[in-house]
Amino acid sequence: MPVFDLSTASLRELNSALHSLTAGSNDTEFKVINPRGSHAVAVGIDAPVSVQIKGSVGYYCAGMNDGGTVTVHGSAGPGVAENMMSGTVIIEGDASQYAGATGRGGLLVIKGNAASRCGISMKGIDIVVHGSIGHMSAFMGQSGHLVVLGNAGDALGDSLYEAKLFVRGTVKSLGSDCIEKEMRAEHLTKLSELLQRAGVTGVRPEDFKRYGSARKLYNFNIDNAEAY
């Protein structure tokens, strides 16, 4: 297993090694020690490798991940797993703002809390937060799922498209065009699957509420013409 000590090795060396992997490579597991809050750790992975980061990271860790499994044994700064395509990113601690932003696929698991704008403009990513999330989360969420075991801050799902939101705790307020929706059998099945994939035990899907788009912002409404 290659080990990169970021107290002596450069971040460029680590990311270059991850980017140079070819099909059938023997290097499938990497360990990063002493990350010391470095930014852009393990970005742009496009191979089915595992990266264990032993400590907290700064901005944009695991951005654009496509097929890798990245585990941060600590907390993550803003933009973790931004624009993820596929694979899995696990944050053992807390995540700062806009975690999983614009994510197109894959699974992001945050075992602590997430700050504001979690899942902003999500486009297919699945996000499971074991704790609570901050304000404006899932703003303009287009597709995918956001699961929150704790509470949600102000303006959840503001200007939401078709992303599905599940919250177990309280929601401080809903954003424009976001409403509570019926939890049907297919939603319970999907939620159960997501909880299992995220390592959540002892929690019932029936304890969650589902939120989605009222679909009132999709088109110009002549009845509101004077308000524009």
Side-chain angles (χ1 to χ4, degrees), residues 28-212:
T28 59
E29 296 185 9
F30 290 75
K31 181 187 288 187
V32 179
I33 61 175
N34 296 315
R36 301 182 301 172
S38 296
H39 304 315
V41 177
V43 297
I45 294 174
D46 62 355
V49 297
S50 172
V51 181
Q52 300 284 331
I53 303 173
K54 302 293 186 175
S56 296
V57 293
Y59 288 82
Y60 304 122
C61 176
M64 300 178 289
N65 182 51
D66 192 5
T69 298
V70 179
T71 303
V72 177
H73 297 273
S75 295
V80 64
E82 182 183 49
N83 204 38
M84 179 159 68
M85 308 300 286
S86 67
T88 303
V89 176
I90 301 170
I91 310 301
E92 296 285 351
D94 298 324
S96 190
Q97 57 188 343
Y98 44 91
T102 70
R104 295 177 177 273
L107 174 67
L108 169 61
V109 179
I110 300 168
K111 295 190 176 179
N113 301 309
S116 63
R117 298 176 176 84
C118 180
I120 186 172
S121 193
M122 52 195 291
K123 297 177 173 68
I125 189 174
D126 293 325
I127 304 173
V128 179
V129 181
H130 289 218
S132 297
I133 58 174
H135 67 271
M136 292 292 289
S137 291
F139 171 67
M140 293 188 70
Q142 296 173 35
S143 63
H145 302 83
L146 172 61
V147 179
V148 183
L149 277 71
N151 304 319
D154 276 319
L156 175 69
D158 190 80
S159 303
L160 192 68
Y161 287 85
E162 291 303 308
K164 296 178 176 64
L165 317 180
F166 302 96
V167 181
R168 184 171 175 240
T170 61
V171 175
K172 191 168 184 181
S173 69
L174 295 175
S176 299
D177 212 42
C178 184
I179 60 173
E180 184 179 344
K181 290 195 166 187
E182 178 188 4
M183 182 80 87
R184 298 193 297 270
E186 65 265 29
H187 303 125
L188 291 171
T189 299
K190 182 62 180 182
L191 180 53
S192 179
E193 173 204 324
L194 289 169
L195 291 171
Q196 183 177 15
R197 288 172 59 200
V200 177
T201 59
V203 174
R204 301 187 318 146
E206 292 82 2
D207 293 337
F208 290 77
K209 292 182 178 179
R210 180 171 77 96
Y211 302 90

